[in-house]
Amino acid sequence: MGYDGEARQHLSLSENPFVKPLPAKEHRIKRSSVMADAGTIKTFEDFVKVHGLLLAAAGIPQSLYRKLFEKLSTETFDGGNYFQVEPVEDGRQRRLVLTSDSMGKESNIFLVDHALSFRLSDAPQQLQEVPGLAERMASLMCLDVDLNSDIAEADDVGCELEDSKLGVMEMVEREVQKTKKEGQDAVVWLELDDLDIDDDVFVSLDLPSKFRDLIVLSLCGNKLKVAETITKEIVKFKQLRALWLNNNPILENWDDNVTDVIIRNCPRLEILNSSFTSKYTQWALGFRGGIYDKDNPGCGHDKDHSLQGVTSLDLSNRRIHSLHNKGFSSDAMPSLSYLNLRGNPLDDHSISDLLQLLKAFTSLDALEVDIPGPLGDSAVEIAESLPTLSLLNGVNTTRVLESGKRVIDSMLLPRLPEWTADEPLVDRVLNAMWLYLMSYRLADEEKIDETSIWYVMDELGSALRHSDEPNFRVSPFLYMPEGKLESAVSFTILWPANDVQYGDECTRDYLFGIGEEKQRSARLTAWFHTPQKYFIKEYETFWENLKSTSSSAVSKASPTRSLVRSDGRPLRVYTDIPSVEELLTHPGFIITTDLKEADIIWTSWQVDEETKKATGLSDHQYINQFPFEACLVMKHHLADTVQKAYGSPEWFQPTYNLETQLTQFIGNYYVRENDRADNLWILKPWNMARTIDTSVTGNLSAIIRLMETGPKICQKYIEHPVLYRGKKFDLRYIVLVRSMNPLELFITDIFWVRLANNTYSLDKKSLFEYETHFTVMNYRGKLNHMNTPEFVKDFEQEHQVEWLEIHSRVKEMIRKVFESATLVHPEMHSPTARAMYGVDVMLDSCFKPKLLEVTYCPDCTRACKYDMEPVIGSGETIKARDFYNYIFGCLFLNETTHVSPL
């Protein structure tokens, strides 16, 4: 541990429920060449012996092992004999249907090929460079439905538009003649939808003089623009009950004043642009209940018992404020069994009032309602209050009560890919792939790979849609036909988890094994449109708590005592860090290889009580780490520490621990989306450095799916950092801590700048480019070291700023970071602890510092390799060979050479 990339606390990925470690290296090999050389696995017994652990980890039933072996060894892809892929959602999604007579639970098993397999950073390049790959992915993900337009159909539409005016006149005249024929009892219901009617055509129709008793007028999908022109005609209809102007340009500038004018002058209007007005009666309810239509208008002969036969009533998104209405009652609708109230404010009611009103409907069996919403925040409370319900938002109320769910995860609308007509196929695929991707992490006997493999199943596998009660299971599987890791080929295995009949849709659980304790309902947001109100409310509560948090500053400390020996002997230092062993030449210290005799333990591994006991360390030995320092050096703990101490300070970007705060994050995302604010976020593993498994994205589905590769924080990305010659950079500061209580801090006079290699860009494809958005090039990419004084001089000239002002703000911020630890975790103090930390800082476009992270035992290769002139301080060149001499001198001998107190 220690050195920027090493974990301070071990996290076994094999114990992470979101990661499936598989002991093999990924090689996308042509199967024909693999099978030609196969010789090791000849029998079923060989197969089980080699793959036993993988079979068990995948959850494959033992009864299917032999059949799986047969299909793998003969490369049998026979799913087409049992299944069919069908388009749904107007061709924007596909589903898988069983075409065989039936299939029993665990009766068969199928191989699913991987159409695309990649490490995340390679996705754009692979899609661009592999011939036909982007086209296949676009077809598989239903992203090409606008690329094959029917020209003949377009020509027909053009002809229709040319003749539309004539068609409108003929339709109106036909209705005029019908009205005359029926006489005084005629009820006029006029539908003039999608006829290319513009303002001039509408006025020329002179409808008010022809239909004085018009009750319904539908003008959807026309070209009406000017509200004043249209309303001047509309208000002449005094018997009008319903008016639809949906999908007309007029609605772009529609406001409450236009609504008020129409409602005030049309005294019987109950429906306006699909919304109920405050004047709605039994007629509007009957229309929504399917009783009234053009053939049965219902006006002129309303009866008290007109709604008696209504069993199903969809009132969703009608902007209804009140249900206190003669028609909406159990007496008027005694047979009502299904009711949809989603999307209505219902703010004229209290929760108890609404529940009492609905309780009177003794036949009510199924209810759709927003949660949270006007009936409350809890699905459980609604189900308990309405005992006649069997289904709440499509979920059995027994399940709701058993699981205690607050957000219901069924009957949600799917997220369908969205794109613009001119968007390249590669961009479409990169945006939509998160609805289809699966992942696994590779491993061999020595280690687990640092990054995961993401893949897209072939057309058959990708057509499996989600269900909370699926009839199939899938699992990734690596087959090693030669019994060696090098021969591994990846598949996904599919088998029936329940009995399935002919024509049934075949489904899988996208979140198999993940329940509400792991934020299942929130995670379904990756694939479905979940209730925004719920998440926004949770975020607002979280944000209010942050804003109310404040802490007083910690007073500066008097110097701790020096460890100088009275007999003048040097302090003995044990270290496992080669650069310390080589460069610590200060006469006050001497290196020892005896751990027990050392006065100072300077190590990269974690020293806890168990380690002390195992190694025989004593309490009087000084160690270069503080107890509970994870509150600073682990990213999720750092966020928690800062937020508990200071709420949401300007120097710390909004940050969420996705393992516990996914709901609040989604609310923040929705708020920013609704405000049209920038919505780029950076995802960082809790406890890994060097930007391993770190991603930048503005795709909500991607953010949620990236949780599958290990615990992460999600932090608002600094979209507009100040740049140096057009490139992104950050700053590494070295902070020395002598004491946490009282707090005694020092900052070294040298710091260094870390530069990205590419020009900064927010282009979508650039988000995958490491050398554009990240600055740590020590471990990958080309490292371009730059002398700090040269950087500062150029920076001041480029941006016309004074570096001293920036440096002052940075120092103030760093002190607050460590103050937060003393305020929230006083147990971090230890009289025998001294430590060095790396603090990484970025400047935003206003030159204000932003904290990136705090690193234990930071990589100081640059400080030990390059002589540097300090920007702040004496100006004396600091020799690289002396770096650890003044670090140790400050921490243990109270020296202040080349360091400044904070």
Side-chain angles (χ1 to χ4, degrees):
M1 293 166 323
Y3 293 112
D4 277 352
E6 299 297 321
R8 288 291 290 113
Q9 296 181 11
H10 287 301
L11 173 67
S12 171
L13 292 176
S14 62
E15 297 171 358
N16 178 0
F18 311 135
V19 177
K20 294 182 182 297
L22 300 177
K25 282 189 174 181
E26 169 73 351
H27 289 282
R28 201 58 182 161
I29 306 173
K30 292 183 179 179
R31 293 194 182 88
S32 57
S33 64
V34 171
M35 297 309 298
D37 297 331
T40 301
I41 296 181
K42 297 180 179 179
T43 67
F44 172 66
E45 288 70 23
D46 293 336
F47 170 72
V48 174
K49 182 178 180 180
V50 172
H51 297 88
L53 290 176
L54 296 179
L55 291 164
I60 298 170
Q62 290 189 17
S63 59
L64 294 176
Y65 284 5
R66 185 174 293 276
K67 188 170 290 189
L68 175 61
F69 167 63
E70 292 170 356
K71 291 191 176 184
L72 284 169
S73 59
T74 58
E75 293 191 9
T76 301
F77 291 87
D78 59 345
N81 299 331
Y82 298 85
F83 307 100
Q84 179 175 316
V85 177
E86 297 181 348
V88 290
E89 302 289 347
D90 295 325
R92 295 183 64 193
Q93 200 178 57
R94 293 189 176 96
R95 69 171 187 163
L96 192 67
V97 175
L98 186 72
T99 54
S100 63
D101 290 339
S102 64
M103 189 175 294
K105 177 181 179 180
E106 299 180 359
S107 63
N108 208 337
I109 196 162
F110 303 92
L111 305 185
V112 177
D113 202 2
H114 294 174
L116 174 65
S117 184
F118 58 91
R119 296 187 190 275
L120 196 55
S121 60
D122 299 330
Q125 182 179 3
Q126 201 165 332
L127 288 166
Q128 288 169 332
E129 295 182 357
V130 177
L133 182 59
E135 287 75 13
R136 181 184 180 187
M137 290 299 101
S139 175
L140 181 151
M141 299 175 187
C142 305
L143 304 173
D144 57 353
V145 294
D146 62 333
L147 300 180
N148 303 304
S149 59
D150 189 334
I151 298 176
E153 181 180 338
D155 291 341
D156 292 342
V157 171
C159 294
E160 289 176 7
L161 294 179
E162 290 180 9
D163 297 335
S164 63
K165 185 172 182 178
L166 178 62
V168 170
M169 295 299 185
E170 290 179 347
M171 292 177 65
V172 170
E173 183 58 30
R174 187 166 60 246
E175 289 297 328
V176 169
Q177 297 303 319
K178 177 183 175 184
T179 302
K180 288 180 179 179
K181 183 178 180 180
E182 293 179 0
Q184 293 183 347
D185 293 334
V187 177
V188 183
W189 187 303
L190 194 59
E191 297 178 358
L192 302 174
D193 300 332
D194 302 310
L195 294 172
D196 202 32
I197 301 172
D198 60 20
D199 293 0
D200 292 337
V201 172
F202 180 68
V203 172
S204 70
L205 292 175
D206 192 21
L207 297 179
S209 66
K210 296 173 181 175
F211 306 104
R212 294 183 60 186
D213 296 326
L214 186 70
I215 66 164
V216 170
L217 177 60
S218 180
L219 293 162
C220 297
N222 287 295
K223 293 186 175 182
L224 305 176
K225 292 183 179 179
V226 182
E228 184 179 358
T229 302
I230 305 306
T231 55
K232 188 175 181 180
E233 294 296 301
I234 296 296
V235 297
K236 297 176 182 178
F237 297 109
K238 301 304 179 183
Q239 303 302 317
L240 198 63
R241 293 285 186 96
L243 171 67
W244 288 280
L245 296 169
N246 305 55
N247 300 322
N248 276 277
I250 191 175
L251 295 184
E252 294 177 7
N253 297 311
W254 192 276
D255 58 28
D256 291 341
N257 291 332
V258 179
T259 300
D260 291 343
V261 169
I262 293 176
I263 292 177
R264 186 169 61 251
N265 288 279
C266 299
R268 304 194 68 184
L269 192 68
E270 300 186 31
I271 300 174
L272 176 59
N273 299 336
S274 300
S275 298
F276 280 21
T277 74
S278 59
K279 302 174 183 179
Y280 82 92
T281 68
Q282 288 176 297
W283 182 87
L285 295 171
F287 172 76
R288 292 300 303 163
I291 292 179
Y292 302 138
D293 53 26
K294 187 172 184 177
D295 295 327
N296 180 29
C299 294
H301 45 76
D302 289 348
K303 298 179 181 179
D304 290 342
H305 303 296
S306 59
L307 303 182
Q308 292 286 308
V310 174
T311 59
S312 177
L313 185 58
D314 185 353
L315 298 179
S316 59
N317 301 306
R318 301 299 120 181
R319 297 186 182 178
I320 299 172
H321 293 269
S322 173
L323 291 175
H324 289 309
N325 182 286
K326 180 180 178 181
F328 193 86
S329 69
S330 57
D331 293 334
M333 297 181 288
S335 304
L336 186 66
S337 62
Y338 169 83
L339 176 63
N340 189 339
L341 292 173
R342 289 183 184 268
N344 294 294
L346 299 175
D347 45 13
D348 288 350
H349 299 269
S350 65
I351 293 175
S352 58
D353 177 34
L354 267 178
L355 290 172
Q356 195 64 34
L357 181 61
L358 295 178
K359 192 179 293 184
F361 290 86
T362 55
S363 298
L364 191 62
D365 179 69
L367 176 66
E368 298 272 348
V369 63
D370 293 330
I371 304 174
L375 269 73
D377 297 343
S378 169
V380 173
E381 291 173 5
I382 297 172
E384 289 175 341
S385 300
L386 303 174
T388 65
L389 290 184
S390 297
L391 294 174
L392 178 57
N393 290 6
V395 180
N396 189 290
T397 50
T398 301
R399 280 188 56 209
V400 172
L401 295 171
E402 288 175 352
S403 64
K405 291 183 180 180
R406 291 176 59 84
V407 179
I408 292 182
D409 57 12
S410 292
M411 300 299 289
L412 300 173
L413 294 176
R415 288 187 182 275
L416 300 174
E418 297 180 356
W419 65 88
T420 58
D422 58 347
E423 190 171 0
L425 277 186
V426 169
D427 289 357
R428 296 185 187 189
V429 172
L430 291 174
N431 188 54
M433 66 183 184
W434 298 100
L435 302 175
Y436 294 89
L437 289 178
M438 297 178 68
S439 71
Y440 57 87
R441 183 162 289 181
L442 300 166
D444 56 27
E445 288 86 351
E446 296 179 357
K447 67 173 185 176
I448 295 174
D449 273 10
E450 294 173 339
T451 56
S452 296
I453 300 295
W454 292 91
Y455 68 94
V456 178
M457 291 187 287
D458 64 17
E459 284 74 3
L460 184 148
S462 292
L464 284 160
R465 298 198 298 176
H466 170 77
S467 173
D468 289 337
E469 298 177 354
N471 45 27
F472 278 83
R473 271 197 64 185
V474 300
S475 181
F477 187 81
L478 269 82
Y479 175 51
M480 295 175 284
E482 297 177 11
K484 301 174 183 178
L485 299 176
E486 291 77 10
S487 69
V489 184
S490 60
F491 299 92
T492 290
I493 308 302
L494 169 70
W495 69 93
N498 288 296
D499 295 341
V500 194
Q501 304 301 318
Y502 173 82
D504 285 352
E505 179 176 358
C506 305
T507 58
R508 67 181 179 94
D509 186 349
Y510 289 168
L511 294 171
F512 180 78
I514 296 177
E516 283 306 308
E517 74 283 358
K518 297 176 184 174
Q519 307 179 98
R520 178 184 177 87
S521 293
R523 291 171 71 141
L524 280 170
T525 303
W527 298 277
F528 297 94
H529 291 284
T530 50
Q532 282 199 18
K533 288 183 179 179
Y534 170 78
F535 295 105
I536 290 174
K537 183 176 180 180
E538 292 293 306
Y539 158 69
E540 288 174 344
T541 300
F542 172 76
W543 180 245
E544 287 301 318
N545 289 336
L546 284 185
K547 288 198 299 185
S548 64
T549 301
S550 63
S551 298
S552 57
V554 177
S555 60
K556 293 189 177 182
S558 57
T560 54
R561 71 181 183 88
S562 168
L563 302 189
V564 175
R565 291 179 178 274
S566 58
D567 58 9
R569 286 189 299 152
L571 296 167
R572 292 162 296 186
V573 177
Y574 174 89
T575 183
D576 61 349
I577 300 174
S579 57
V580 176
E581 186 174 4
E582 177 187 354
L583 298 176
L584 183 57
T585 58
H586 191 296
F589 304 92
I590 188 171
I591 299 295
T592 179
T593 57
D594 189 335
L595 186 65
K596 293 182 180 180
E597 78 165 11
D599 300 299
I600 300 167
I601 311 295
W602 193 276
T603 178
S604 60
W605 39 267
Q606 182 181 4
V607 181
D608 53 20
E609 291 303 318
E610 185 176 336
T611 304
K612 284 183 177 181
K613 186 176 180 181
T615 56
L617 297 180
S618 63
D619 291 337
H620 72 269
Q621 290 176 298
Y622 284 77
I623 301 174
N624 66 327
Q625 56 192 249
F626 283 87
F628 301 98
E629 65 180 12
C631 73
L632 289 173
V633 300
M634 293 185 71
K635 297 177 186 69
H636 63 308
H637 290 322
L638 173 62
D640 182 66
T641 300
V642 170
Q643 289 166 351
K644 284 181 177 178
Y646 296 115
S648 183
E650 187 179 19
W651 45 265
F652 194 68
Q653 292 288 89
T655 303
Y656 299 89
N657 178 358
L658 291 181
E659 295 301 300
T660 58
Q661 297 172 326
L662 178 61
T663 295
Q664 292 80 1
F665 161 72
I666 293 173
N668 193 350
Y669 186 96
Y670 280 145
V671 168
R672 299 186 68 88
E673 183 178 59
N674 294 338
D675 292 342
R676 298 185 178 180
D678 56 61
N679 229 342
L680 268 185
W681 298 79
I682 184 167
L683 288 93
K684 306 175 184 179
W686 282 358
N687 200 27
M688 299 180 81
R690 304 182 318 196
T691 62
I692 294 170
D693 201 19
T694 300
S695 307
V696 178
T697 181
N699 185 315
L700 179 58
S701 295
I703 292 169
I704 298 171
R705 298 297 312 281
L706 284 164
M707 294 173 63
E708 297 169 25
T709 63
K712 292 180 179 64
I713 62 165
C714 185
Q715 190 171 68
K716 184 66 193 68
Y717 192 57
I718 304 170
E719 296 192 350
H720 301 290
V722 65
L723 303 177
Y724 174 70
R725 298 177 180 174
K727 298 178 180 179
K728 187 176 178 181
F729 71 90
D730 64 26
L731 307 166
R732 163 61 65 89
Y733 291 87
I734 301 299
V735 177
L736 309 177
V737 184
R738 284 187 193 163
S739 169
M740 290 298 295
N741 185 21
L743 185 60
E744 190 176 2
L745 302 175
F746 295 84
I747 186 171
T748 62
D749 288 347
I750 64 167
F751 63 90
W752 52 93
V753 60
R754 304 187 296 188
L755 289 164
N757 288 337
N758 297 341
T759 300
Y760 184 66
S761 169
L762 288 177
D763 178 77
K764 283 186 179 179
K765 284 192 284 292
S766 82
L767 301 180
F768 293 85
E769 296 172 358
Y770 180 86
E771 295 187 53
T772 298
H773 289 272
F774 299 105
T775 60
V776 181
M777 301 298 164
N778 307 50
Y779 310 98
R780 52 176 162 160
K782 179 182 177 182
L783 174 61
N784 294 311
H785 173 70
M786 186 172 191
N787 186 276
T788 304
E790 178 187 348
F791 162 78
V792 170
K793 181 179 178 181
D794 288 353
F795 186 85
E796 289 181 325
Q797 291 178 351
E798 180 180 355
H799 296 285
Q800 295 298 300
V801 294
E802 292 287 338
W803 188 263
L804 282 176
E805 295 181 10
I806 295 172
H807 186 70
S808 177
R809 288 195 289 264
V810 170
K811 289 200 302 181
E812 181 182 356
M813 182 199 75
I814 291 175
R815 179 166 180 86
K816 284 189 172 294
V817 173
F818 286 86
E819 283 180 351
S820 68
T822 65
L823 292 166
V824 178
H825 293 283
E827 67 274 18
M828 188 175 168
H829 177 68
S830 168
T832 56
R834 304 281 193 275
M836 173 177 70
Y837 299 94
V839 178
D840 296 336
V841 179
M842 185 169 287
L843 304 177
D844 67 14
S845 57
C846 297
F847 307 99
K848 294 180 179 178
K850 300 282 188 177
L851 176 68
L852 299 183
E853 64 177 301
V854 178
T855 305
Y856 164 80
C857 201
D859 183 345
C860 293
T861 301
R862 293 201 205 186
C864 298
K865 184 175 181 180
Y866 302 102
D867 295 344
M868 298 188 192
E869 295 179 14
V871 177
I872 311 297
S874 64
E876 176 188 352
T877 298
I878 302 174
K879 300 296 184 181
R881 64 175 181 268
D882 289 330
F883 176 74
Y884 279 110
N885 288 336
Y886 66 78
I887 294 297
F888 274 70
C890 174
L891 287 175
F892 300 103
L893 304 180
N894 288 18
E895 296 175 353
T896 57
T897 304
H898 302 315
V899 299
S900 303
L902 284 177

